Amino acid sequence: MPWTEKDFIFKDNHYPSNRLEITEEAPSNIALVKYWGKYGLQRPMNPSISFTLSQSKTITKAILTPLGKPANKVSFKFYLDNRHQPAFEPKIARFFDLIHRYTPFVFQYDWQIYSHNTFPHSSGIASSASGFAALAKLIMNLEKQINPYQNALYYLQKTSFLARLGSGSAARSISGPVMLWGEHPQIAGTSDLYATLPDFDLHPVFQNFKDSIVLVETGQKKVSSTAGHALMDQHPFKNIRIQQAFDNVIKMNQILKTGDISHFIDIVEAEALGLHAMMMTSRPNYILMQPGTLQIIHSLRQIRKEHNIPVCFTLDAGANVHVLYPEGEKNKLQKIFFDNLEHKIIFDYL
Ligand code: DP6
């Protein structure tokens, strides 16, 4: 039986009273079937499934100073690459408020949080998933010091549960190589509260997959994911989209098990275009793709056809293109595709 919210409420009330320094890291992830739309408190309208990008991590160190008595608000400062970043703090403050019930001990300390991404942060690549996942791991590291008596699965699921409260996709940045978030009636153990690991081994075809990102646009997103999710509430195609994602998760599970790469390509690209189609048909509508995005999509499709290379693209809520391909195709793709682009490319994201 999946865990419920109640199972994650922390009841102990003794805490280490010394100064602590804890470091944890968490990977990014790229959704193959997209999470788009949420309800209640950070619950997804549909299940989603992602590859864990183990090469692209957030590494976070926290210095915790005991306060002596719990505060009403967590006192903290957030630093990225050793520079204080007040712009990130409201989302982190909200996260601390939301996790209060489940990890009250965090309110016993002052937190100085130092984060670093292994991928370039100026690239416009979202780091909130790996960022909140690393923070959730840190908090669970502390919980384990206080209460080491739960089993490994409990810690994994509670970490994902906490990360989800920071950012939905962070729920899937806890483990890998694949994670599934969102309850699906046909997949045992799935939950809206946390992401789970599949109960099968990833087919070898997908074990050496690469993700290289073509940077069409860098900098701040024009419309935040959070605002985009909210537009799903009244979306005219909401129910069709939700049904489609439920179906695609079942298909993707099967594909990842059997190694059916041509269906993998079909679904991954349909999901990426479907996500952007939802943005382009919401009220108000908006377009995140840029001319360069389409140009890259067209040339990838042409290369796939002409050279018979199993390469495909996916997009998240932005203009940059994630290029997914088996590692063995890297040199060929480098010559006929990547080398001809004028855009900056981040290789080895996965
Ligand atoms: C398009 O997880 O960034 O990347 O829960 O509001 O923080 P919040 O949104 P976020 O949304 C990610 C959406 C997506 C698809 C996906 O990763 O599944």
Short mmCIF file of all heavy atoms in Angstrom, two decimals, residues 124-165:
data_model
loop_
_atom_site.label_atom_id
_atom_site.label_comp_id
_atom_site.label_asym_id
_atom_site.label_seq_id
_atom_site.Cartn_x
_atom_site.Cartn_y
_atom_site.Cartn_z
N GLY A 124 19.88 29.00 -18.46
CA GLY A 124 18.43 29.03 -18.52
C GLY A 124 17.82 27.66 -18.26
O GLY A 124 16.62 27.46 -18.39
N ILE A 125 18.65 26.69 -17.92
CA ILE A 125 18.13 25.35 -17.64
C ILE A 125 17.57 25.36 -16.23
O ILE A 125 18.22 25.82 -15.31
CB ILE A 125 19.25 24.31 -17.75
CG1 ILE A 125 19.80 24.30 -19.16
CG2 ILE A 125 18.75 22.93 -17.37
CD1 ILE A 125 21.05 23.52 -19.28
N ALA A 126 16.37 24.84 -16.09
CA ALA A 126 15.72 24.85 -14.78
C ALA A 126 16.55 24.06 -13.79
O ALA A 126 17.00 22.96 -14.08
CB ALA A 126 14.34 24.24 -14.90
N SER A 127 16.77 24.63 -12.62
CA SER A 127 17.51 23.88 -11.62
C SER A 127 16.64 23.70 -10.38
O SER A 127 17.13 23.24 -9.35
CB SER A 127 18.81 24.59 -11.27
OG SER A 127 18.52 25.90 -10.87
N SER A 128 15.36 24.07 -10.46
CA SER A 128 14.55 23.96 -9.25
C SER A 128 14.30 22.50 -8.88
O SER A 128 14.20 22.18 -7.71
CB SER A 128 13.25 24.75 -9.37
OG SER A 128 12.39 24.14 -10.27
N ALA A 129 14.24 21.61 -9.88
CA ALA A 129 14.01 20.19 -9.55
C ALA A 129 15.19 19.65 -8.74
O ALA A 129 15.01 19.15 -7.63
CB ALA A 129 13.81 19.37 -10.83
N SER A 130 16.41 19.78 -9.28
CA SER A 130 17.57 19.25 -8.55
C SER A 130 17.81 20.05 -7.28
O SER A 130 18.25 19.51 -6.26
CB SER A 130 18.81 19.25 -9.44
OG SER A 130 19.01 20.52 -10.02
N GLY A 131 17.50 21.35 -7.32
CA GLY A 131 17.69 22.21 -6.14
C GLY A 131 16.82 21.78 -4.97
O GLY A 131 17.33 21.59 -3.85
N PHE A 132 15.54 21.62 -5.21
CA PHE A 132 14.66 21.20 -4.11
C PHE A 132 14.91 19.75 -3.71
O PHE A 132 14.75 19.38 -2.55
CB PHE A 132 13.19 21.43 -4.47
CG PHE A 132 12.76 22.85 -4.23
CD1 PHE A 132 12.51 23.70 -5.29
CD2 PHE A 132 12.67 23.35 -2.94
CE1 PHE A 132 12.15 25.04 -5.06
CE2 PHE A 132 12.31 24.68 -2.70
CZ PHE A 132 12.06 25.52 -3.76
N ALA A 133 15.30 18.92 -4.69
CA ALA A 133 15.60 17.53 -4.34
C ALA A 133 16.82 17.47 -3.42
O ALA A 133 16.83 16.72 -2.43
CB ALA A 133 15.84 16.71 -5.60
N ALA A 134 17.84 18.29 -3.70
CA ALA A 134 19.03 18.30 -2.84
C ALA A 134 18.67 18.80 -1.44
O ALA A 134 19.14 18.25 -0.43
CB ALA A 134 20.12 19.16 -3.46
N LEU A 135 17.81 19.80 -1.38
CA LEU A 135 17.39 20.33 -0.07
C LEU A 135 16.58 19.28 0.70
O LEU A 135 16.77 19.09 1.91
CB LEU A 135 16.54 21.59 -0.33
CG LEU A 135 16.45 22.63 0.77
CD1 LEU A 135 17.81 22.98 1.35
CD2 LEU A 135 15.78 23.90 0.22
N ALA A 136 15.71 18.58 0.00
CA ALA A 136 14.92 17.52 0.64
C ALA A 136 15.85 16.41 1.17
O ALA A 136 15.65 15.88 2.26
CB ALA A 136 13.90 16.95 -0.34
N LYS A 137 16.88 16.09 0.39
CA LYS A 137 17.83 15.06 0.84
C LYS A 137 18.56 15.50 2.10
O LYS A 137 18.81 14.70 3.01
CB LYS A 137 18.85 14.76 -0.26
CG LYS A 137 18.31 13.86 -1.34
CD LYS A 137 19.45 13.45 -2.27
CE LYS A 137 19.02 12.30 -3.16
NZ LYS A 137 20.09 11.90 -4.09
N LEU A 138 18.91 16.78 2.12
CA LEU A 138 19.59 17.34 3.30
C LEU A 138 18.72 17.21 4.55
O LEU A 138 19.19 16.82 5.63
CB LEU A 138 19.79 18.83 3.05
CG LEU A 138 21.17 19.28 2.67
CD1 LEU A 138 21.15 20.61 1.96
CD2 LEU A 138 21.96 19.40 3.94
N ILE A 139 17.45 17.55 4.37
CA ILE A 139 16.52 17.50 5.50
C ILE A 139 16.33 16.06 5.97
O ILE A 139 16.28 15.77 7.16
CB ILE A 139 15.19 18.18 5.11
CG1 ILE A 139 15.45 19.69 4.93
CG2 ILE A 139 14.09 17.92 6.12
CD1 ILE A 139 14.39 20.42 4.16
N MET A 140 16.26 15.15 4.99
CA MET A 140 16.10 13.74 5.38
C MET A 140 17.39 13.16 5.97
O MET A 140 17.34 12.25 6.79
CB MET A 140 15.65 12.91 4.16
CG MET A 140 14.21 13.18 3.77
SD MET A 140 13.05 12.98 5.17
CE MET A 140 13.14 11.20 5.41
N ASN A 141 18.52 13.70 5.58
CA ASN A 141 19.79 13.31 6.21
C ASN A 141 19.72 13.65 7.71
O ASN A 141 20.07 12.84 8.56
CB ASN A 141 20.92 14.07 5.50
CG ASN A 141 22.29 13.76 6.06
OD1 ASN A 141 22.47 13.71 7.27
ND2 ASN A 141 23.27 13.59 5.19
N LEU A 142 19.19 14.84 7.99
CA LEU A 142 19.05 15.26 9.38
C LEU A 142 18.02 14.38 10.11
O LEU A 142 18.23 13.95 11.25
CB LEU A 142 18.63 16.74 9.40
CG LEU A 142 18.41 17.40 10.74
CD1 LEU A 142 19.65 17.30 11.63
CD2 LEU A 142 18.06 18.90 10.54
N GLU A 143 16.89 14.11 9.41
CA GLU A 143 15.87 13.24 10.04
C GLU A 143 16.46 11.87 10.39
O GLU A 143 16.19 11.32 11.45
CB GLU A 143 14.65 13.08 9.13
CG GLU A 143 13.64 12.09 9.73
CD GLU A 143 12.27 12.09 9.07
OE1 GLU A 143 11.83 13.13 8.55
OE2 GLU A 143 11.62 11.02 9.10
N LYS A 144 17.28 11.34 9.49
CA LYS A 144 17.90 10.03 9.74
C LYS A 144 18.83 10.06 10.94
O LYS A 144 18.95 9.09 11.67
CB LYS A 144 18.70 9.60 8.50
CG LYS A 144 17.96 8.56 7.68
CD LYS A 144 18.83 8.04 6.56
CE LYS A 144 18.46 8.71 5.26
NZ LYS A 144 19.29 8.27 4.12
N GLN A 145 19.49 11.21 11.14
CA GLN A 145 20.36 11.33 12.32
C GLN A 145 19.53 11.29 13.60
O GLN A 145 19.96 10.77 14.62
CB GLN A 145 21.16 12.64 12.29
CG GLN A 145 22.14 12.69 11.14
CD GLN A 145 23.02 13.94 11.20
OE1 GLN A 145 23.38 14.41 12.27
NE2 GLN A 145 23.39 14.45 10.05
N ILE A 146 18.31 11.85 13.51
CA ILE A 146 17.45 11.88 14.70
C ILE A 146 16.74 10.54 14.88
O ILE A 146 16.60 10.03 15.97
CB ILE A 146 16.40 13.02 14.58
CG1 ILE A 146 17.10 14.37 14.34
CG2 ILE A 146 15.53 13.09 15.82
CD1 ILE A 146 16.17 15.49 13.93
N ASN A 147 16.29 9.99 13.74
CA ASN A 147 15.51 8.74 13.80
C ASN A 147 15.99 7.78 12.71
O ASN A 147 15.49 7.81 11.59
CB ASN A 147 14.02 9.08 13.60
CG ASN A 147 13.19 7.83 13.41
OD1 ASN A 147 13.63 6.73 13.78
ND2 ASN A 147 12.03 7.97 12.83
N PRO A 148 16.97 6.94 13.05
CA PRO A 148 17.54 6.05 12.03
C PRO A 148 16.78 4.73 11.87
O PRO A 148 17.29 3.82 11.24
CB PRO A 148 18.96 5.79 12.55
CG PRO A 148 18.92 6.07 14.01
CD PRO A 148 17.68 6.85 14.33
N TYR A 149 15.58 4.65 12.40
CA TYR A 149 14.94 3.33 12.51
C TYR A 149 13.97 2.97 11.39
O TYR A 149 13.35 1.92 11.41
CB TYR A 149 14.23 3.21 13.87
CG TYR A 149 15.15 3.60 15.00
CD1 TYR A 149 14.94 4.77 15.70
CD2 TYR A 149 16.27 2.82 15.29
CE1 TYR A 149 15.81 5.16 16.71
CE2 TYR A 149 17.15 3.21 16.29
CZ TYR A 149 16.92 4.38 17.00
OH TYR A 149 17.79 4.77 17.97
N GLN A 150 13.76 3.84 10.42
CA GLN A 150 12.85 3.51 9.32
C GLN A 150 13.61 2.74 8.24
O GLN A 150 14.84 2.76 8.21
CB GLN A 150 12.27 4.79 8.71
CG GLN A 150 11.43 5.59 9.67
CD GLN A 150 10.01 5.04 9.80
OE1 GLN A 150 9.67 4.03 9.20
NE2 GLN A 150 9.21 5.71 10.61
N ASN A 151 12.85 2.12 7.29
CA ASN A 151 13.57 1.41 6.23
C ASN A 151 13.93 2.34 5.07
O ASN A 151 13.44 3.47 4.97
CB ASN A 151 12.81 0.16 5.75
CG ASN A 151 11.50 0.52 5.10
OD1 ASN A 151 11.40 1.53 4.40
ND2 ASN A 151 10.48 -0.28 5.34
N ALA A 152 14.83 1.83 4.18
CA ALA A 152 15.38 2.68 3.11
C ALA A 152 14.28 3.21 2.20
O ALA A 152 14.34 4.35 1.73
CB ALA A 152 16.39 1.87 2.30
N LEU A 153 13.27 2.40 1.95
CA LEU A 153 12.19 2.83 1.05
C LEU A 153 11.41 4.00 1.65
O LEU A 153 11.05 4.95 0.96
CB LEU A 153 11.25 1.65 0.76
CG LEU A 153 10.26 1.89 -0.37
CD1 LEU A 153 10.98 2.21 -1.68
CD2 LEU A 153 9.36 0.67 -0.57
N TYR A 154 11.20 3.95 2.96
CA TYR A 154 10.51 5.06 3.64
C TYR A 154 11.29 6.36 3.44
O TYR A 154 10.72 7.39 3.07
CB TYR A 154 10.37 4.74 5.13
CG TYR A 154 9.76 5.89 5.92
CD1 TYR A 154 8.38 6.00 6.07
CD2 TYR A 154 10.57 6.88 6.50
CE1 TYR A 154 7.81 7.05 6.77
CE2 TYR A 154 10.01 7.94 7.21
CZ TYR A 154 8.64 8.01 7.35
OH TYR A 154 8.08 9.06 8.04
N TYR A 155 12.60 6.30 3.65
CA TYR A 155 13.41 7.52 3.49
C TYR A 155 13.36 8.03 2.05
O TYR A 155 13.23 9.23 1.80
CB TYR A 155 14.86 7.29 3.92
CG TYR A 155 15.02 7.03 5.40
CD1 TYR A 155 15.61 5.88 5.88
CD2 TYR A 155 14.56 7.97 6.33
CE1 TYR A 155 15.75 5.65 7.24
CE2 TYR A 155 14.68 7.74 7.70
CZ TYR A 155 15.27 6.58 8.14
OH TYR A 155 15.39 6.36 9.49
N LEU A 156 13.43 7.09 1.09
CA LEU A 156 13.38 7.48 -0.32
C LEU A 156 12.06 8.19 -0.63
O LEU A 156 12.02 9.26 -1.24
CB LEU A 156 13.54 6.23 -1.21
CG LEU A 156 13.36 6.47 -2.70
CD1 LEU A 156 14.64 7.01 -3.31
CD2 LEU A 156 12.94 5.20 -3.44
N GLN A 157 10.95 7.57 -0.18
CA GLN A 157 9.64 8.13 -0.53
C GLN A 157 9.36 9.43 0.21
O GLN A 157 8.77 10.35 -0.33
CB GLN A 157 8.53 7.10 -0.29
CG GLN A 157 8.74 5.81 -1.06
CD GLN A 157 8.76 5.92 -2.59
OE1 GLN A 157 8.45 4.96 -3.25
NE2 GLN A 157 9.17 7.04 -3.17
N LYS A 158 9.83 9.51 1.43
CA LYS A 158 9.61 10.78 2.14
C LYS A 158 10.47 11.90 1.53
O LYS A 158 10.03 13.05 1.46
CB LYS A 158 9.87 10.64 3.66
CG LYS A 158 9.52 11.94 4.40
CD LYS A 158 9.46 11.83 5.91
CE LYS A 158 9.21 13.20 6.54
NZ LYS A 158 9.19 13.18 8.01
N THR A 159 11.66 11.56 1.07
CA THR A 159 12.50 12.58 0.41
C THR A 159 11.78 13.13 -0.82
O THR A 159 11.71 14.34 -1.04
CB THR A 159 13.87 11.98 -0.01
OG1 THR A 159 14.44 11.30 1.11
CG2 THR A 159 14.82 13.06 -0.47
N SER A 160 11.22 12.22 -1.61
CA SER A 160 10.49 12.64 -2.81
C SER A 160 9.24 13.45 -2.43
O SER A 160 8.92 14.47 -3.07
CB SER A 160 10.12 11.40 -3.63
OG SER A 160 9.29 11.74 -4.69
N PHE A 161 8.58 13.02 -1.38
CA PHE A 161 7.39 13.71 -0.86
C PHE A 161 7.73 15.17 -0.49
O PHE A 161 7.00 16.10 -0.86
CB PHE A 161 6.90 12.93 0.36
CG PHE A 161 5.80 13.58 1.15
CD1 PHE A 161 4.47 13.37 0.81
CD2 PHE A 161 6.09 14.38 2.25
CE1 PHE A 161 3.45 13.97 1.54
CE2 PHE A 161 5.07 14.97 2.99
CZ PHE A 161 3.75 14.76 2.64
N LEU A 162 8.84 15.35 0.21
CA LEU A 162 9.23 16.71 0.61
C LEU A 162 9.64 17.53 -0.62
O LEU A 162 9.22 18.69 -0.77
CB LEU A 162 10.42 16.68 1.59
CG LEU A 162 10.22 16.04 2.95
CD1 LEU A 162 11.53 16.10 3.75
CD2 LEU A 162 9.10 16.71 3.74
N ALA A 163 10.43 16.91 -1.50
CA ALA A 163 10.90 17.63 -2.69
C ALA A 163 9.72 18.13 -3.52
O ALA A 163 9.73 19.26 -4.03
CB ALA A 163 11.79 16.72 -3.53
N ARG A 164 8.68 17.31 -3.62
CA ARG A 164 7.49 17.67 -4.37
C ARG A 164 6.86 18.96 -3.85
O ARG A 164 6.33 19.77 -4.62
CB ARG A 164 6.46 16.53 -4.26
CG ARG A 164 5.17 16.80 -4.98
CD ARG A 164 4.06 15.87 -4.53
NE ARG A 164 3.07 16.57 -3.76
CZ ARG A 164 2.75 16.31 -2.50
NH1 ARG A 164 3.34 15.33 -1.84
NH2 ARG A 164 1.84 17.03 -1.89
N LEU A 165 6.95 19.17 -2.55
CA LEU A 165 6.35 20.38 -1.98
C LEU A 165 7.13 21.64 -2.36
O LEU A 165 6.61 22.75 -2.30
CB LEU A 165 6.21 20.23 -0.46
CG LEU A 165 5.21 19.14 -0.03
CD1 LEU A 165 5.29 18.89 1.47
CD2 LEU A 165 3.78 19.49 -0.43
#
